[in-house]
Amino acid sequence: MRQHAVRHIKGNIWYWVAGFAAAGAACVALRWGTPAAFLFMITGLLTIFADANVDPVALITEPALDPEGTEIDQPPGTGTGSPVT
């Protein structure tokens, strides 16, 4: 089920952007300032994600500190910085 939702959001992200923009415009027409600002903020974030080909669902669901593939092959103290004397 999660894979289906991810494919749906990735494949239709521009429709989501348009929907949030339309909802924000409706809030502006109703003079609801705070909900309109929130919806336009979501619209901007989704536009940035879509333009950069970032999956917003993977950004939320994947662990930030993934231990696989992020380890350094050098022992501590052998970095590229200047030696400490």
Side-chain angles (χ1 to χ4, degrees):
M1 183 67 177
R2 180 179 175 272
Q3 294 293 340
H4 179 69
V6 170
R7 277 184 296 179
H8 170 74
I9 291 176
K10 274 184 85 170
N12 300 314
I13 194 163
W14 289 112
Y15 292 121
W16 283 89
V17 168
F20 277 110
C27 287
V28 168
L30 293 171
R31 295 180 181 245
W32 295 348
T34 303
F38 182 72
L39 289 169
F40 285 132
M41 179 189 66
I42 293 172
T43 302
L45 288 173
L46 285 176
T47 302
I48 292 169
F49 287 161
D51 190 44
N53 294 323
V54 173
D55 181 18
V57 176
L59 186 69
I60 295 168
T61 58
E62 290 180 0
L65 300 174
D66 189 11
E68 295 179 17
T70 58
E71 295 183 19
I72 299 174
D73 294 333
Q74 299 175 353
T78 60
T80 59
S82 61
V84 177
T85 57

